[in-house]
Amino acid sequence: MAEAHQAVGFQFTVTSDGIDLHLSREVLKHIYLSGVTSWTKRAIRFKNGILTGVYPASPSSLLIVVIAIMSTIYAKIDPSLGMIDTIKRTMSVSGYMTTQTVLSAILFSTGLWLSLILMLRYILKALLSYHAWIFESHGKISFCTKLWLSLVKMFSGRRPLLYSFQTSLPRLPVPSVDDTITRYLESVRPLLDDEQYNQMEVVANDFKKDQAPKLQKYLILKSWWATNYVSDWWEEYIYLRGRSPIMVNSNFYSMDLLYVTPTHRQAARAGNVVHAMLQYRRKLERREHAPLRALGVVPMCSYQMERMFNTTRIPGIETGEHTAACWGHNTIRLSLDFVQHLSDRKHLVVYHKGRFFKVWLYYGGRHLWPSELETQFQRILDDTTEPQPGELKLAALTAGNRVPWARARLKYFSQGVNKASLEAIETSAFFLSLDDEVHGYDPDKLRSLDLYAKSLLHGKCYDRWFDKSFTLIAYKNGKLGVNAEHSWADAPIIGHMWEYVLATDCFHLGYTEEGHCKGDINKGLPPPTKLQWDIPLECQEVIEESYMVAKVIADDVDFHGCLFDEFGKGLIKKSRTSPDAFIQLALQLAQFRDKGEFCLTYEASMTRMFREGRTETVRSCTSESTAFVRAMEDKNTSAQKLDLFRKAADKHQNMYRLAMTGSGIDRHLFCLYIMSKYLSIDSPFLKQVLSEPWRLSTSQTPQQQLNMVDIKTFPRYVGAGGGFGPVADDGYGVSYIIIGENLITFHISSKFSSPETDSYRFGQNIRQAMLDICALFDQKDKNEKEM
């Protein structure tokens, strides 16, 4: 065991001649190297913290300011307008070029330098609050926007680190109640008949007149005080207060490369990818990743990336009592789930065939090399021991309802070996599951992508630790995937890491001809530690109950992966249409053909141009989109279809831009509802808004690091994106990713228990809808040629 291996570094025996002390040079060497690595990491963090703290200036600019001020003093000029003399008098010392004069000049220079930094940040924040650029037509940039872009570049400084722009990002604005109510009524108009709409209009206007002003005042006050008026309540009330299972209902997944498997050796692929993740984590901890920037200029908030590693969602019991439990060295009040994030952790926990193993990630003060990680994972794969009683399905506790898990954790895992083993899992860098199944996309196997998606989303319900920030899944055939917990961050955050990892794995680390990781094998590595458990029968019953709850949910998930390769982004852009708007209108057409009616539609849009921004909702079902869909289904109408399409696409694009710039509908209404609960104000309008089901929930997976893989040179090295479970019992969840110029992948989920839905059928409807819309442009081109 690793701990035992380190402990034997110091040995002593008591003899008649005194104490005979033995020191292991090898272990002392590792202790020394570990200390050097630790202090080096602290030094780099400290240095990068200073660089981030003074950005967009640099520490060297302080020296320039000091030299400039001192030069003017030598020239008998006082640039401080008497402030240096005031500082000197405060120090009770007279004299012109004395040490105190120099010190006073340095203090003034430092104050001037800090003031300049604050001024630069304020100017940059004011510039970043300008959003007119996003509403301009694609390819047409006005003079004002060009000037604005130049100023942003000028005030953004050079070589920013990950968090350099955080203090310069504007706050998320609170929309006016009038605008929100107007946009809300506009969004529900196509879904209601005249009588229903008139009733909704009356309720909304009553709310706007009577209750909204008071709620809005408090919400504006919160927006002044809090960094972001939405994000903390969103994390708490949407995620952490939920008592139902997070598996399928909240967690989401990301897939491996679609067509390429670099090696079919399970341990080797896991070794390379874990090492790439450790490289990513090191850059993350040192803040060395470049911040994501729209147009290569406008910075996005990086706050969510802080909790990517060493993070676990801890279950809580929601009661009226103040229940407390001692965990480690901290006392924790159990009222709702919370996200536990720790500093650098040097181990991960691996699950294989019902056993849990602790694997150290460092050796001699450095990360384990890929070949060393492969060795450790192969040892686990070769281990033939049986699971201990209750160990096989232990992780099902994280897949079932939250309250039984919280109570079991408090009762059975708060002391002894169970506490130590659970603490090893919850404090690990992340969780790795060495799966004993074979999955991945296989064009020769019908619905292979569907089974792959279901495995990533829920597995066997006990072979992923759903509370970890993410679980890495390595299949028997070398394919990979990630299952991520949702409360700490949104999908683009995991996607950023996943793109880096896959590119590093394939293009930087590589494999030998036999498929093994490159590098020498260190045979002196201590083997992985098998976690020990003492799980009583009562706890095993709770585990089994959680498993049965989770299994019912998993068995009800109907998934379909649809690869659309008839055309892609390239052809859509030629029609001068936003690819996202094109797909959303195709989804509206598919929905109407599938169910014969329209429904409230959710599309996730990011708000990361604001500090600590997460998401906003784009309500994709509009009067314009429904008019277009009805025209498409009317065989007697032909001439106006393309015009209606363009109007609907423009409407959608405008709504998406409004959501991105803080003028969305749903987060504002959500926060007004929470505020009404705090103030004990009963609002029928807000109750109705928050209870409306999203029968079509959609999200686009963005590609964020196209520079890491040249798709034109390596067209087969494309990711398949990811997906999530259905939001409504009788609805669909649709995630899609636009890959390169000629491929769009759809991930469609629904429930078998609903007679109204069928994921495969909906996938076929999407495919036909895409082709039918494309045919409008083909017909237009044909008519123009004939003319």
Side-chain angles (χ1 to χ4, degrees):
M1 294 188 181
E3 296 93 339
H5 180 77
Q6 297 292 339
V8 298
F10 297 95
Q11 303 177 21
F12 68 91
T13 57
V14 179
T15 66
S16 58
D17 297 326
I19 296 177
D20 183 17
L21 184 65
H22 302 282
L23 298 178
S24 168
R25 290 185 178 180
E26 180 67 17
V27 175
L28 286 175
K29 173 185 174 183
H30 288 307
I31 291 173
Y32 168 76
L33 292 173
S34 181
V36 170
T37 300
S38 179
W39 283 103
T40 301
K41 186 182 296 183
R42 292 181 189 179
I44 293 173
R45 285 178 181 170
F46 179 75
K47 180 198 75 172
N48 289 340
I50 292 176
L51 292 175
T52 299
V54 303
Y55 200 83
S58 63
S60 60
S61 63
L62 172 60
L63 182 61
I64 295 172
V65 174
V66 171
I67 292 173
I69 296 298
M70 293 300 297
S71 300
T72 59
I73 292 176
Y74 275 107
K76 306 295 184 179
I77 301 172
D78 184 8
S80 69
L81 302 177
M83 292 184 65
I84 292 177
D85 288 336
T86 302
I87 296 172
K88 188 168 61 176
R89 284 195 300 272
T90 303
M91 299 172 67
S92 302
V93 177
S94 60
Y96 191 71
M97 284 305 294
T98 62
T99 303
Q100 283 71 25
T101 302
V102 173
L103 181 59
S104 299
I106 291 174
L107 289 174
F108 170 77
S109 301
T110 303
L112 177 63
W113 178 67
L114 293 174
S115 299
L116 289 172
I117 291 173
L118 292 175
M119 184 182 71
L120 289 172
R121 286 182 179 173
Y122 180 81
I123 293 172
L124 184 57
K125 182 179 288 190
L127 288 170
L128 295 177
S129 298
Y130 170 83
H131 295 128
W133 63 273
I134 204 170
F135 291 93
E136 294 183 351
S137 300
H138 183 71
K140 297 180 181 179
I141 302 178
S142 66
F143 172 77
C144 288
T145 298
K146 289 179 180 179
L147 177 61
W148 171 78
L149 284 171
S150 300
L151 290 172
V152 171
K153 289 179 182 178
M154 183 172 68
F155 285 99
S156 291
R158 298 173 58 195
R159 291 177 299 207
L161 297 172
L162 181 61
Y163 303 120
S164 292
F165 292 111
Q166 290 300 101
T167 55
S168 299
L169 292 173
R171 292 172 181 264
L172 182 69
V174 181
S176 72
V177 172
D178 286 346
D179 287 346
T180 297
I181 297 297
T182 300
R183 289 174 185 148
Y184 171 77
L185 290 173
E186 184 183 353
S187 73
V188 298
R189 185 64 188 96
L191 304 174
L192 304 176
D193 59 32
D194 291 343
E195 183 179 352
Q196 291 172 327
Y197 179 76
N198 291 334
Q199 290 176 352
M200 175 58 74
E201 199 172 29
V202 170
V203 174
N205 288 329
D206 287 344
F207 168 75
K208 182 169 63 174
K209 180 178 63 175
D210 299 332
Q211 300 162 327
K214 182 178 181 179
L215 299 177
Q216 180 78 347
K217 287 178 183 176
Y218 279 103
L219 199 57
I220 291 173
L221 180 63
K222 188 198 176 194
S223 73
W224 291 345
W225 177 252
T227 306
N228 187 297
Y229 82 93
V230 175
S231 294
D232 58 338
W233 282 353
W234 188 254
E235 180 175 311
E236 177 181 347
Y237 289 98
I238 297 300
Y239 296 114
L240 299 180
R241 281 190 179 270
R243 302 294 85 193
S244 59
I246 62 175
M247 183 200 77
V248 176
N249 296 326
S250 178
N251 285 32
F252 58 92
Y253 68 85
S254 292
M255 285 184 170
D256 195 1
L257 297 172
L258 192 59
Y259 304 116
V260 175
T261 307
T263 179
H264 292 286
R265 295 184 184 273
Q266 184 178 15
R269 188 82 196 282
N272 256 14
V273 167
V274 169
H275 183 76
M277 284 181 170
L278 296 178
Q279 289 182 323
Y280 184 92
R281 184 178 72 162
R282 180 169 57 192
K283 293 184 69 175
L284 185 63
E285 290 171 342
R286 295 177 177 181
R287 307 177 180 183
E288 293 174 346
H289 288 290
L292 186 67
R293 293 199 266 188
L295 302 178
V297 178
V298 185
M300 303 286 113
C301 180
S302 303
Y303 166 74
Q304 295 179 60
M305 299 177 75
E306 292 180 358
R307 297 185 290 179
M308 186 175 297
F309 295 91
N310 326 318
T311 298
T312 306
R313 175 173 174 164
I314 306 297
I317 305 171
E318 189 174 29
T319 65
E321 303 172 358
H322 296 311
T323 309
C326 182
W327 190 259
H329 300 290
N330 301 315
T331 299
I332 298 169
R333 178 176 295 173
L334 295 179
S335 58
L336 71 158
D337 291 9
F338 67 95
V339 178
Q340 173 185 270
H341 174 66
L342 305 168
S343 58
D344 181 24
R345 283 301 181 262
K346 299 185 177 181
H347 73 278
L348 63 79
V349 170
V350 181
Y351 178 91
H352 178 245
K353 289 188 176 180
R355 294 86 42 81
F356 293 83
F357 297 85
K358 183 177 182 179
V359 177
W360 290 100
L361 300 172
Y362 288 79
Y363 182 79
R366 60 166 175 80
H367 289 150
L368 292 186
W369 299 119
S371 57
E372 295 171 330
L373 288 165
E374 179 186 358
T375 299
Q376 297 293 66
F377 299 148
Q378 192 60 52
R379 286 172 172 173
I380 294 173
L381 293 172
D382 294 339
D383 190 298
T384 58
T385 58
E386 292 295 320
Q388 299 159 77
E391 184 180 17
L392 174 65
K393 298 180 180 178
L394 175 63
L397 289 170
T398 68
N401 290 312
R402 303 303 290 171
V403 172
W405 169 211
R407 288 174 175 161
R409 184 176 182 275
L410 179 63
K411 185 174 182 180
Y412 303 111
F413 298 91
S414 58
Q415 60 185 354
V417 294
N418 288 348
K419 176 184 175 182
S421 295
L422 182 60
E423 196 170 47
I425 296 173
E426 293 181 339
T427 62
S428 61
F430 54 92
F431 192 81
L432 169 62
S433 176
L434 295 175
D435 208 295
D436 56 353
E437 294 184 347
V438 171
H439 281 292
Y441 172 63
D442 186 344
D444 296 327
K445 292 184 179 179
L446 185 65
R447 306 193 75 169
S448 61
L449 206 59
D450 308 357
L451 297 174
Y452 183 22
K454 279 179 64 68
S455 176
L456 290 174
L457 187 64
H458 54 68
K460 299 174 182 175
C461 303
Y462 57 78
D463 50 357
R464 289 92 174 88
W465 198 268
F466 294 100
D467 283 353
K468 287 301 292 183
S469 54
F470 67 89
T471 295
L472 172 64
I473 301 147
Y475 291 105
K476 201 171 181 179
N477 59 340
K479 276 294 181 183
L480 299 171
V482 167
N483 179 287
E485 200 275 315
H486 210 328
S487 65
W488 65 275
D490 301 309
I493 305 303
I494 279 289
H496 187 276
M497 180 271 291
W498 195 231
E499 289 173 2
Y500 175 95
V501 166
L502 293 179
T504 302
D505 169 36
C506 296
F507 295 100
H508 298 283
L509 298 177
Y511 300 88
T512 66
E513 291 183 0
E514 294 79 19
H516 293 286
C517 295
K518 295 179 179 178
D520 297 330
I521 299 175
N522 185 353
K523 296 182 179 179
L525 281 176
T529 306
K530 191 171 185 295
L531 299 185
Q532 300 300 310
W533 306 94
D534 181 14
I535 303 175
L537 290 175
E538 297 87 351
C539 183
Q540 293 180 37
E541 292 176 0
V542 177
I543 293 171
E544 188 63 26
E545 289 172 2
S546 293
Y547 167 69
M548 294 308 298
V549 169
K551 191 174 187 303
V552 170
I553 295 172
D555 290 345
D556 197 23
V557 175
D558 177 16
F559 236 102
H560 177 57
C562 176
L563 298 181
F564 184 86
D565 55 5
E566 280 83 352
F567 60 87
K569 179 175 63 176
L571 183 62
I572 295 173
K573 283 188 172 182
K574 286 181 181 178
S575 65
R576 291 177 294 175
T577 305
S578 158
D580 184 71
F582 187 102
I583 293 171
Q584 284 292 326
L585 289 172
L587 290 174
Q588 289 299 313
L589 181 55
Q591 163 71 24
F592 188 79
R593 288 173 174 175
D594 188 81
K595 290 191 174 183
E597 62 181 7
F598 299 102
C599 69
L600 195 61
T601 305
Y602 182 113
E603 183 189 5
S605 164
M606 67 90 181
T607 56
R608 288 173 60 199
M609 289 191 295
F610 302 97
R611 191 170 181 182
E612 295 186 17
R614 291 195 62 161
T615 61
E616 177 57 274
T617 304
V618 181
R619 293 177 167 236
S620 301
C621 183
T622 63
S623 296
E624 290 80 1
S625 68
T626 56
F628 162 70
V629 169
R630 292 189 190 282
M632 289 292 289
E633 295 302 277
D634 187 349
K635 296 180 180 179
N636 297 320
T637 303
S638 58
Q640 303 299 318
K641 290 180 180 179
L642 192 56
D643 290 338
L644 290 171
F645 171 82
R646 292 201 183 279
K647 288 180 182 178
D650 290 343
K651 175 67 175 181
H652 180 271
Q653 188 79 343
N654 186 63
M655 290 196 310
Y656 198 96
R657 290 163 174 169
L658 287 170
M660 287 181 64
T661 53
S663 298
I665 301 169
D666 289 276
R667 299 302 177 268
H668 186 204
L669 293 175
F670 162 76
C671 288
L672 289 173
Y673 177 75
I674 299 300
M675 193 65 75
S676 73
K677 290 299 181 182
Y678 278 122
L679 297 175
S680 300
I681 295 175
D682 184 55
S683 171
F685 170 71
L686 291 176
K687 280 183 180 178
Q688 184 165 346
V689 171
L690 271 294
S691 64
E692 292 169 343
W694 301 97
R695 290 192 171 86
L696 181 56
S697 182
T698 71
S699 178
Q700 181 184 170
T701 303
Q703 289 186 288
Q704 304 169 80
Q705 301 182 88
L706 297 174
N707 59 308
M708 296 201 71
V709 180
D710 186 352
I711 298 179
K712 292 182 179 178
T713 307
F714 303 98
R716 292 182 60 80
Y717 284 81
V718 293
F724 53 89
V727 174
D729 291 339
D730 56 350
Y732 293 105
V734 181
S735 175
Y736 53 93
I737 181 171
I738 303 170
I739 309 168
E741 299 296 311
N742 299 298
L743 177 63
I744 303 170
T745 300
F746 293 92
H747 301 253
I748 305 160
S749 64
S750 62
K751 294 188 176 183
F752 285 118
S753 57
S754 171
E756 301 178 27
T757 59
D758 182 300
S759 293
Y760 179 79
R761 182 184 72 209
F762 194 66
Q764 297 307 303
N765 283 332
I766 293 174
R767 181 182 297 277
Q768 190 59 50
M770 296 278 287
L771 294 172
D772 289 348
I773 294 175
C774 183
L776 296 178
F777 292 96
D778 292 341
Q779 184 63 42
K780 176 178 176 290
D781 293 339
K782 183 179 178 181
N783 292 340
E784 289 177 350
K785 288 179 180 179
E786 290 177 353
M787 292 176 64

